[in-house]
Amino acid sequence: MGTWNATIFGNDASCDTKDEFFTRYNRGEDIKDDLLSEIDGDDRFNVMFSLAHCMWEVGMLDDDFLSEVEAAIQSEKDLALAEELGADEKFLRQRRAHLAKFLDKISVKRA
C-alpha cells in the first residue's frame, strides 16, 4: 500500500477505487457491492472512504452506507491500523482531522 499523505485520497488504494468507481459509473455498471466485496486487509478503510466520497459526489451515498462509514471513523479502527503499519503521531493527528472534515462533508445531503 502506497501512502503519501493523510487525506482521503492520499494513498494508492483510494485513488484506484476512485478510478474504478468512475469507470463503472460511466458504463452504468453496479458499483458499490462489487467494490465493497473487494475490500480486504490493510486497504479496507481506504476503499470504504474513497467509495463513500465518490458516491457522495454523484448523489448515490445512501444512509446505511453513510452510517457504516461514520461508525468506522468513530471507532478509530482506521487510525489503529495506520499505527500498526508504522504511522507516526503527526500522521495520525492529520488523518484524524481529515476524517472529521470528510465525515462532516459527506453527512450533508446534496441538493
Side-chain angles (χ1 to χ4, degrees):
M1 170 178 79
T3 300
W4 51 90
N5 65 50
T7 64
I8 297 302
F9 292 105
N11 59 77
D12 291 334
S14 292
C15 290
D16 290 346
T17 300
K18 183 178 183 178
D19 290 344
E20 186 65 20
F21 175 90
F22 284 107
T23 296
R24 291 182 187 196
Y25 178 79
N26 290 331
R27 289 184 197 152
E29 296 177 7
D30 185 37
I31 303 167
K32 180 182 167 192
D33 292 336
D34 285 350
L35 291 178
L36 285 177
S37 70
E38 296 171 11
I39 292 179
D40 66 339
D42 298 343
D43 290 328
R44 65 186 173 274
F45 296 110
N46 293 325
V47 172
M48 175 187 271
F49 301 155
S50 176
L51 180 58
H53 187 281
C54 294
M55 292 174 71
W56 173 82
E57 272 189 34
V58 299
M60 292 177 59
L61 182 59
D62 59 77
D63 290 338
D64 290 339
F65 191 44
L66 175 59
S67 293
E68 286 180 51
V69 170
E70 182 177 23
I73 291 172
Q74 290 176 347
S75 74
E76 295 195 349
K77 289 180 181 178
D78 172 65
L79 298 173
L81 179 59
E83 188 172 23
E84 283 177 32
L85 295 172
D88 61 16
E89 285 301 316
K90 179 181 177 184
F91 179 90
L92 295 173
R93 279 192 311 275
Q94 291 172 343
R95 182 69 170 177
R96 185 176 283 113
H98 283 290
L99 290 174
K101 287 178 188 175
F102 169 65
L103 188 56
D104 285 346
K105 177 181 177 176
I106 67 170
S107 293
V108 176
K109 294 285 185 187
R110 289 184 60 119

